[in-house]
Amino acid sequence: MTFQPFVPVGGLGGWRFLQNTLETQKEAHGRSPVLERDLDYFRENIGNVTSADELVSDFRLLSVALGAFGLSEDINSKFLIKKVLEEGVIDPESLANRLSDKRYRDMSRAFGFGDFDTPNTVLTTFADGIEERYRDQKFQEDMGRTNDTMRLGLNAQRELAALGEGEGSNRTKWFTLMGTPPLRTVMEGALNLPAAFATLPIDKQLETFQERARDVLGTDQLSEIGQGDVLDRVLDRFTAQAGLSSGVNVTSPALVLLRGF
């Protein structure tokens, strides 16, 4: 039997509950026989895969690869996936770099088919890194069946930190965030930006994101936003605001917390 992650309430209260029970729930979820079978197959076979074509041709391996980067829904887009992997990320004009969804770029970089004579799949530590991501993503996906706000919060907790620590200018990092739908959703919610905001010119969107971040969080530096108390405030604001928007946890404590952020 597969363990179903859960929260008893939505909004900020649900987020607090999830943080307090996260390790216990992840441990129970990780004992899923289906999850273990998929990962066993990946560990046993990925080291023999040396091309994008080989990966795309193996449904079980591709399922884990895409799942690790939150792209499971694109399993049937094999032509796109193969091209993304074959072109790599070193060339600024490669498909992975031109796609607005930067999760493809992350996947292409991780596998390394288009960038190196020998791909990363042959490294002894490669499967471990993909397994960690896959376990996290599957937990998040299953949490989303109970509460999608919690799924988005968990993803942002990891990916905002990774983005902040990554290479590139602060401007480049913001564009990456804006091109990563789950992260963008969290940041828009945390900064209380309206849905129509996405129709603005891209440079105006960036300017607005940074202005709001400075006003609400005290900084527009993603290296700071992805760490410590600032990251906690982003996630608290996002989950609290989501609870208010859905009519869950619309009690005065949540309103007081929001006003205090």
Side-chain angles (χ1 to χ4, degrees), residues 15 148-158 186 235 238:
W15 180 247
D148 200 52
T149 295
M150 302 302 132
R151 175 187 69 85
L152 290 167
L154 287 172
N155 178 74
Q157 193 170 43
R158 170 176 177 152
V186 169
L235 299 174
F238 167 68

Side-chain angles (χ1 to χ4, degrees), residues 46-165:
I46 193 61
N48 299 320
V49 173
T50 58
S51 70
D53 186 61
E54 291 174 347
L55 178 64
V56 171
S57 298
D58 190 313
F59 182 85
R60 294 183 68 185
L61 290 180
L62 183 61
S63 295
V64 173
L66 291 175
F69 292 88
L71 295 167
S72 295
E73 294 182 356
D74 295 345
I75 188 69
N76 293 319
S77 303
K78 293 186 176 180
F79 178 80
L80 171 68
I81 297 164
K82 182 180 176 182
K83 190 169 180 63
V84 164
L85 292 172
E86 286 180 338
E87 292 187 6
V89 299
I90 292 177
D91 181 359
E93 296 302 314
S94 68
L95 180 58
N97 286 319
R98 288 186 286 114
L99 286 173
S100 60
D101 191 336
K102 298 309 178 186
R103 291 175 293 179
Y104 278 106
R105 184 191 62 187
D106 293 341
M107 182 176 70
S108 184
R109 179 185 291 119
F111 281 82
F113 291 122
D115 296 328
F116 311 110
D117 293 335
T118 302
N120 293 329
T121 51
V122 303
L123 300 175
T124 57
T125 59
F126 179 76
D128 293 337
I130 297 298
E131 176 179 347
E132 181 183 357
R133 291 189 64 104
Y134 185 73
R135 286 184 181 277
D136 284 348
Q137 288 289 344
K138 292 302 290 184
F139 182 84
Q140 291 167 24
E141 288 176 15
D142 288 344
M143 173 57 70
R145 303 179 196 278
T146 300
N147 188 301
D148 200 52
T149 295
M150 302 302 132
R151 175 187 69 85
L152 290 167
L154 287 172
N155 178 74
Q157 193 170 43
R158 170 176 177 152
E159 296 302 322
L160 276 175
L163 178 61
E165 294 171 353

Side-chain angles (χ1 to χ4, degrees), residues 214-227:
R214 289 193 294 269
D215 290 344
V216 173
L217 304 173
T219 179
D220 67 359
Q221 297 297 306
L222 281 167
S223 59
E224 298 176 15
I225 292 172
Q227 300 294 327

Side-chain angles (χ1 to χ4, degrees), residues 36-53:
E36 291 294 352
R37 282 197 298 270
D38 289 342
L39 288 173
D40 285 345
Y41 182 83
F42 188 85
R43 282 191 296 265
E44 291 169 4
N45 293 279
I46 193 61
N48 299 320
V49 173
T50 58
S51 70
D53 186 61

